Amino acid sequence: MFILECSNITKNYGACKALDSVNLQLEKGKIVGLLGPNGSGKTTLLKLANGLLSPTSGSISIAGGSPGVHSKKIVAYLPERTYLNEWMKVKDIVAFFADFYANFSREKAIDMLQALGLPQNAKLSSLSKGNKEKVQLILVMAREAELYLLDEPIGGVDPAARDYIINTIIRNYSASATILLSTHLIQDVERIFDSVVFLNKGKIALQGPVDDIREEKGCSIDELFREVFKC
Amino acid sequence: MQWKLDNNAPLYLQIADKVKLGIVSGEYAPGKRIDSVRDLAEQTGVNPNTMQRALSRLEDEGLLSTNRTNGKYVTEDTELINQIKDELAKKYVENFLASMKQMGFSGNIILALVQHEVGKGENANVYTGM
């Protein structure tokens, strides 16, 4: 059984086709890059997988079932923007998540907060934009989920924190979990991918294991992206 | 071990080559246990599946073996290690010769140049004035 399966998914926003007959199957235990230029449908795909949007046509399944109450237990989602309450303290948000999700590891969260030097007694509103993003990513990665859907997890953080986050992903990797990660910063993360999916104007332009692509094309994923999506 | 990888070529092949070099150079001694796949993946900054694929390749060649409970070990077959060392050396020399010939050097000149450079490193006095 695939952890995530999209069958002929189309999503229209009015006259705009955000996704056009997308077929995608993700296996367990893989780290997959979801790559594409702005407006290619990456966020729409992740929202569909979380049940935040419904497809115009086609179907999507998470571990065999449709997105919903059951899938929220096994999916950890990092949305494109923050939804946390600004007035809450970091430690209160950690407690809130620990209450909310049975698979949340408070210990992991606190370890990561300390490693990145984030003050637990600070109110979220007092943190910088980058630090807020780090807190939010920590809350997601501290869950022992089966599927992590990360929408631009490293976009707003500094390069040192980026390295730490990438290492955290490698360290927390387990053969039973799958990570689908969208990003523009391909160069920084392409080494941790098993495979990549290129989205272009709502369609899958290319997909496959990264080392096979490097072998076949003789270039990095970053370079291939620049070539395929040359403006 | 230094893990400088090039994103333009398959990572698992580069990692396999580096570990192989570590084995033939003695950095990873015969019979020595190597770090776990996860630790090595973290040190390298690659996906554990990629690291596993690289190490499997060396297992296929007989340079590593898996002990079911204790991880991966370097082979104790020094004959095999030496044989692979010879193969590697041959490959490097072939690559070197191909580049030199491309530049238009003939065999004798290449030999003289190599002798000169080797001499500089090992015993500078003998070859001064060449």
Side-chain angles (χ1 to χ4, degrees), chain A residues 179-195:
Chain A
I179 301 174
L180 180 63
L181 182 163
S182 84
T183 188
H184 291 122
L185 298 162
I186 303 172
Q187 207 171 7
D188 287 338
V189 289
E190 68 168 81
R191 284 187 187 173
I192 69 166
F193 293 148
D194 282 292
S195 59

Side-chain angles (χ1 to χ4, degrees), chain B residues 6 16 18 22 28 32 41 61 81 103-104 109 115-116 118 130:
Chain B
D6 174 7
K18 281 187 201 294
Y28 294 137
K32 190 186 159 190
E61 289 185 48
I81 295 177
M103 281 192 281
I109 306 277
Q115 209 157 33
H116 179 62
V118 171
M130 188 176 158

Side-chain angles (χ1 to χ4, degrees), chain B residues 15-30:
Chain B
I15 294 167
D17 280 351
K18 281 187 201 294
V19 175
K20 192 190 265 190
L21 204 60
I23 293 172
V24 301
S25 72
E27 188 181 342
Y28 294 137

Side-chain angles (χ1 to χ4, degrees), chain B residues 7-118:
Chain B
N7 284 346
N8 292 301
L11 301 180
Y12 82 99
L13 288 176
Q14 297 176 58
I15 294 167
D17 280 351
K18 281 187 201 294
V19 175
K20 192 190 265 190
L21 204 60
I23 293 172
V24 301
S25 72
E27 188 181 342
Y28 294 137
K32 190 186 159 190
R33 179 171 177 234
I34 63 166
D35 291 342
S36 71
V37 168
R38 188 176 292 264
D39 286 346
L40 285 169
E42 219 178 305
Q43 287 164 29
T44 329
V46 303
N47 183 311
N49 293 325
T50 305
M51 183 54 71
Q52 179 60 47
R53 191 172 174 195
L55 299 182
S56 296
R57 203 177 155 84
L58 298 180
E59 279 185 66
D60 291 344
E61 289 185 48
L63 283 173
L64 292 179
S65 61
T66 300
N67 179 321
R68 206 157 47 88
T69 45
N70 286 321
K72 295 188 195 306
Y73 291 82
V74 177
T75 180
E76 292 184 33
D77 183 351
T78 48
E79 211 168 293
L80 175 72
I81 295 177
N82 284 332
Q83 184 196 325
I84 286 180
K85 191 173 183 170
D86 288 348
E87 280 169 19
L88 267 183
K90 206 170 153 222
K91 202 174 88 188
Y92 285 140
V93 171
E94 279 168 3
N95 287 342
F96 164 73
L97 282 179
S99 314
M100 291 300 276
K101 283 182 177 153
Q102 204 185 354
M103 281 192 281
F105 288 109
S106 69
N108 285 339
I109 306 277
I110 296 172
L111 268 180
L113 283 168
V114 169
Q115 209 157 33
H116 179 62
E117 287 301 317
V118 171

Side-chain angles (χ1 to χ4, degrees), chain A residues 181-217:
Chain A
L181 182 163
S182 84
T183 188
H184 291 122
L185 298 162
I186 303 172
Q187 207 171 7
D188 287 338
V189 289
E190 68 168 81
R191 284 187 187 173
I192 69 166
F193 293 148
D194 282 292
S195 59
V196 285
V197 177
F198 277 25
L199 269 183
N200 190 22
K201 295 176 186 151
K203 289 185 182 227
I204 292 182
L206 186 153
Q207 98 185 86
V210 281
D211 266 353
D212 292 0
I213 293 174
R214 290 188 185 109
E215 196 150 32
E216 192 186 316
K217 312 273 182 189

Side-chain angles (χ1 to χ4, degrees), chain A residues 67-86:
Chain A
V69 178
H70 170 71
S71 75
K72 287 183 201 305
K73 276 187 202 165
I74 58 169
V75 176
Y77 173 49
L78 180 79
E80 52 177 340
R81 62 184 102 135
T82 67
Y83 56 90
L84 301 170
N85 289 317
E86 289 274 324

